[in-house]
C-alpha cells in the first residue's frame, strides 16, 4: 500500500506543479506580494468554499471542488516558499528558481507525509472527504490564531507545520477523488 501511496502522491503533485508553473508563466510571481496572513486567508476562502459546496450539494461557479483542493496544495507551497525567502528577496523571481523552490518544499513535505503515514497506518484512506475538509479548516483557524499571536506559542507547532499538514491533507483528498490517475 505504501508504494501505491507514493506513486499516487507523486502523480497528484506532478499535476499541481504543472498548473503552478503554467500560472507562473502567465502571472509571474505576483504571489510574492502576499504576506503569510493573506495566504492563510486565501487558503481559508478555498476551504470554506469546499465546505459550502459539500453542505449545499450544489455550486453556482464552475470551478470544481477538485480545483479548490489543487489550489490548497499550491497555496500551501506558496506559503512555505514565501516563509523561506529573505525579507529583501525581489518580488520577481526567475521561473527556474521558483520551480526549484517548489520542488524543494514538496520534497520536504513528501518526507513528512511518509513518516506520518507510517505511524498512522494510512488512516486517511478510511476518512471521509468532508472530515478532511473540516481538519483543513481547523488547521486554518489554528494558523490564524498563531499569526495573531505573532508566532509566539507556548506548546504548539508553528504555522509551517500547519501549512505542511494542510498540503498533505489536500493531496490525500485528491488521491481519494482519483485526481492524477
Amino acid at each position: 500500500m505504501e508504494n501505491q501511496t507514493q506513486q499516487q502522491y507523486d502523480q497528484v503533485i506532478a499535476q499541481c506543479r504543472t498548473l503552478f508553473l503554467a500560472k507562473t508563466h502567465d502571472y509571474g510571481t505576483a504571489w510574492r506580494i502576499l504576506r503569510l496572513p493573506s495566504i492563510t486567508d486565501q487558503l481559508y476562502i478555498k476551504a470554506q468554499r469546499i465546505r459550502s459546496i459539500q453542505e449545499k450539494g450544489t455550486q453556482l461557479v464552475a470551478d470544481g471542488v477538485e480545483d479548490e483542493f489543487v489550489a490548497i496544495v499550491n497555496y500551501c507551497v506558496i506559503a512555505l516558499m514565501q516563509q523561506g525567502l529573505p525579507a529583501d528577496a525581489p518580488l520577481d523571481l526567475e521561473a527556474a528558481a521558483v520551480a526549484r523552490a517548489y520542488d524543494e518544499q514538496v520534497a520536504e513535505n513528501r518526507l513528512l507525509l511518509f513518516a506520518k503515514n507510517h505511524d498512522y497506518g494510512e488512516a486517511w484512506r478510511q476518512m471521509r472527504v468532508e472530515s478532511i475538509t473540516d481538519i483543513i479548516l481547523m488547521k486554518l483557524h489554528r494558523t490564524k490564531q498563531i499569526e495573531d499571536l505573532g508566532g509566539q506559542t507556548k506548546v504548539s507547532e508553528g504555522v509551517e507545520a500547519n501549512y505542511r499538514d494542510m498540503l498533505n491533507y489536500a493531496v490525500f483528498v485528491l488521491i481519494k477523488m482519483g485526481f492524477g490517475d
Side-chain angles (χ1 to χ4, degrees):
M1 184 67 83
E2 188 172 314
N3 196 24
Q4 178 189 9
T5 300
Q6 291 174 2
Q7 181 182 19
Q8 290 171 318
Y9 184 88
D10 292 344
Q11 288 171 336
V12 165
I13 289 295
Q15 289 200 13
C16 293
R17 181 184 189 274
T18 297
L19 178 63
F20 183 83
L21 294 179
K23 286 188 175 193
T24 298
H25 174 270
D26 293 351
Y27 304 134
T29 53
W31 53 265
R32 285 277 300 120
I33 201 76
L34 298 173
R35 292 170 283 191
L36 285 177
S38 298
I39 298 169
T40 301
D41 286 344
Q42 188 63 34
L43 284 159
Y44 179 79
I45 290 167
K46 300 297 184 185
Q48 187 57 47
R49 179 170 184 263
I50 293 166
R51 183 173 172 155
S52 176
I53 292 169
Q54 289 170 341
E55 289 176 348
K56 293 174 185 171
T58 60
Q59 65 187 64
L60 300 180
V61 177
D63 295 339
V65 167
E66 207 172 70
D67 297 328
E68 299 293 14
F69 279 109
V70 169
I72 289 172
V73 169
N74 284 336
Y75 273 110
C76 285
V77 174
I78 285 171
L80 293 166
M81 288 189 296
Q82 193 77 303
Q83 191 175 32
L85 287 169
D88 62 347
L91 289 179
D92 296 319
L93 302 175
E94 298 279 332
V98 172
R100 275 192 308 278
Y102 189 101
D103 293 343
E104 288 167 7
Q105 293 303 330
V106 167
E108 192 168 332
N109 244 68
R110 190 177 190 277
L111 292 173
L112 174 68
L113 177 130
F114 292 113
K116 286 189 173 190
N117 212 28
H118 173 271
D119 291 354
Y120 288 94
E122 297 213 322
W124 63 270
R125 289 196 181 269
Q126 279 68 53
M127 293 176 69
R128 296 173 187 94
V129 170
E130 293 80 5
S131 296
I132 296 173
T133 301
D134 291 349
I135 290 170
I136 291 170
L137 280 164
M138 177 189 66
K139 289 198 172 280
L140 283 162
H141 281 280
R142 287 179 179 179
T143 302
K144 289 170 75 167
Q145 177 66 23
I146 293 168
E147 289 170 345
D148 291 347
L149 291 171
Q152 301 301 312
T153 61
K154 291 184 179 182
V155 296
S156 304
E157 297 174 314
V159 295
E160 180 179 342
N162 285 291
Y163 289 133
R164 292 197 181 285
D165 285 346
M166 288 184 284
L167 190 163
N168 283 337
Y169 276 117
V171 171
F172 289 156
V173 169
L174 290 166
I175 290 170
K176 289 177 81 64
M177 296 175 89
F179 184 78
D181 289 346

